[in-house]
Amino acid sequence: MTKPNGSINRSPFGKTPEGEPVEVYTLRNRRGMEVCILTYGGIVTSLKTPDKNGRLDDIVLGHDNLDGYIKSSPYFGALIGRYCNRIARGKFSLDGNLCTLATNNGSNHLHGGARGFDKVAWTAEKAEVGEHGPKLELGYLSQDGEEGYPGNLSVKAAYALTGDNTLQVEFKATTDKKTPCNLTHHSYFNLAGGGDVLGHIVRINADKFTPVDSGLIPTGELRPVAGTPFDFLKPTAIGARINATDDDEIKLAGGYDDNWVLNKKTGGELSLAAQVSEPASGRAMEIWTTAPGLQFYTGNFLNGSITGKGGRVYQFRSGFCMEPQGFPDSPNHPDFPSTELKPGETYKHTIIYKFSTR
């Protein structure tokens, strides 16, 4: 359907190993910006934005076909849940009861487990072009006991592309038993459209971060960024301090893979988390979120073993992630902002990516 405020189209994109049909929805706004989204994993397969000369390039990593996402994808572009990031040893206590989750990251639980929300078929519940542009609403029911989590969790995830080149992701969820809930979006960005990301300029609105142990699990400390390679309060190139050999945090992750404690006036406030720009293309991106934390990851585990779209080989640090979230391992840290969702409550999380050129 084509309207003055944009268009939305759908087409088949293969079938899952279980035989479930997968579709791709293509959203375009009135300026020509385009995002393609799968019903499998809610995956953003392509995001085309203009550079300073008006040229559109795809600025996210991914695959040309469904098989790639199923067999060799490190969460490219996906919706992540029931709990994004890590939970230590896949265990936590809830009202005195021990809950045991799937462990898929060494001895830890990562991004929802062996079959998280990135690996399931979602239902396209609504696709329409509204006053502000095209919007796609996806739904998924995570059943009681899935990957070890308690409660039936009903999840809605809406992607909206507005006329001012903004992509908004809005989550809502309800449950019939108390459960942790921590949802995010996991695109790997490269604003240059290729090459490594070390020249990208980053600013993160956070005075502190959560340092980790050897398993990349938070220690519980909220450490000031001042005087460390994690200080992005002033715009700094990703590559400026990413190889700081005297910093244990950098050495543990092989680069940046930590959670920043965002500066907020109130909990749940929609606020600016980070800004990223790429000098050669002129592209710039702002990340806004209602979440208290932001995981900044610099593609440290990309090693050339994945061939993606157009035959492109994804090398070390060829993409970065900005994942707004509740803090990692919060169920095991009572002092962290709570990620518990109770019956009768509604989990809400808004992420906004604002694109522009300089």
Side-chain angles (χ1 to χ4, degrees):
M1 63 188 85
T2 302
K3 295 184 177 182
N5 294 328
S7 66
I8 184 165
N9 296 284
R10 69 175 184 175
S11 57
F13 201 80
K15 293 184 178 181
T16 68
E18 295 75 27
E20 298 168 293
V22 175
E23 295 180 317
V24 58
Y25 284 78
T26 301
L27 284 61
R28 294 185 183 90
N29 71 4
R30 55 185 173 81
R31 294 185 176 184
M33 181 177 164
E34 176 188 289
V35 59
C36 296
I37 303 159
L38 297 185
T39 52
Y40 178 82
I43 292 169
V44 170
T45 65
S46 171
L47 179 59
K48 295 180 180 178
T49 65
D51 66 7
K52 60 187 178 184
N53 299 315
R55 171 183 164 177
L56 288 173
D57 280 312
D58 187 357
I59 61 164
V60 295
L61 279 55
H63 292 282
D64 289 321
N65 54 59
L66 184 61
D67 196 52
Y69 288 104
I70 291 172
K71 292 184 177 179
S72 60
S73 177
Y75 308 98
F76 285 148
L79 301 178
I80 305 296
R82 183 177 305 196
Y83 200 97
C84 65
N85 217 307
R86 294 172 176 85
I87 294 179
R89 300 173 301 282
K91 299 180 186 296
F92 61 91
S93 292
L94 196 61
D95 293 338
N97 298 312
L98 180 65
C99 296
T100 302
L101 308 176
T103 51
N104 60 318
N105 183 240
S107 62
N108 300 317
H109 177 85
L110 174 67
H111 288 335
R115 191 170 183 261
F117 292 0
D118 61 297
K119 296 179 180 68
V120 300
W122 292 63
T123 300
E125 298 186 344
K126 185 183 292 186
E128 61 183 9
V129 179
E131 178 183 356
H132 301 292
K135 183 176 183 179
L136 172 66
E137 295 184 9
L138 302 173
Y140 178 66
L141 176 62
S142 175
Q143 296 186 354
D144 186 13
E146 187 172 295
E147 298 299 303
Y149 288 100
N152 293 294
L153 186 77
S154 178
V155 185
K156 310 292 182 186
Y159 285 101
L161 182 60
T162 67
D164 61 352
N165 286 1
T166 293
L167 178 64
Q168 178 172 311
V169 188
E170 187 172 36
F171 295 101
K172 293 183 180 179
T174 57
T175 184
D176 58 3
K177 292 181 184 178
K178 186 187 290 187
T179 185
C181 183
N182 188 18
L183 311 179
T184 195
H185 174 74
H186 203 296
S187 275
Y188 285 65
F189 296 99
N190 185 318
L191 300 185
D196 65 46
V197 296
L198 299 181
H200 286 59
I201 309 299
V202 171
R203 178 182 176 271
I204 301 177
N205 183 25
D207 295 328
K208 299 178 180 178
F209 72 106
T210 54
V212 295
D213 63 18
S214 60
L216 304 183
I217 299 293
T219 62
E221 178 189 359
L222 305 183
R223 183 179 297 174
V225 300
T228 77
F230 296 82
D231 186 351
F232 285 92
L233 288 167
K234 293 181 179 179
T236 304
I238 290 176
R241 298 168 302 201
I242 199 170
N243 295 316
T245 56
D246 59 345
D247 187 276
D248 289 340
E249 290 289 310
I250 293 287
K251 288 190 287 186
L252 282 171
Y256 294 110
D257 191 8
D258 287 78
N259 169 65
W260 272 253
V261 180
L262 297 175
N263 296 333
K264 287 183 179 284
K265 295 178 181 177
T266 59
E269 171 196 15
L270 180 63
S271 62
L272 179 63
Q275 296 163 294
V276 187
S277 61
E278 200 285 309
S281 68
R283 289 189 182 89
M285 176 175 70
E286 293 182 355
I287 300 96
W288 293 67
T289 180
T290 54
L294 178 75
Q295 187 83 7
F296 174 40
Y297 169 60
T298 49
N300 311 321
F301 298 110
L302 297 174
N303 59 10
S305 63
I306 296 175
T307 299
K309 289 179 285 188
R312 180 179 164 198
V313 176
Y314 293 134
Q315 303 287 358
F316 188 47
R317 296 174 180 162
S318 58
F320 69 90
C321 303
M322 291 280 186
E323 307 158 53
Q325 59 178 9
F327 295 178
D329 200 31
S330 288
N332 292 310
H333 292 276
D335 293 338
F336 283 0
S338 176
T339 53
E340 286 186 1
L341 179 64
K342 302 173 184 176
E345 298 177 341
T346 300
Y347 169 93
K348 296 180 180 179
H349 179 200
T350 298
I351 304 171
I352 295 176
Y353 303 99
K354 295 183 177 181
F355 297 93
S356 60
T357 55
R358 297 177 179 175

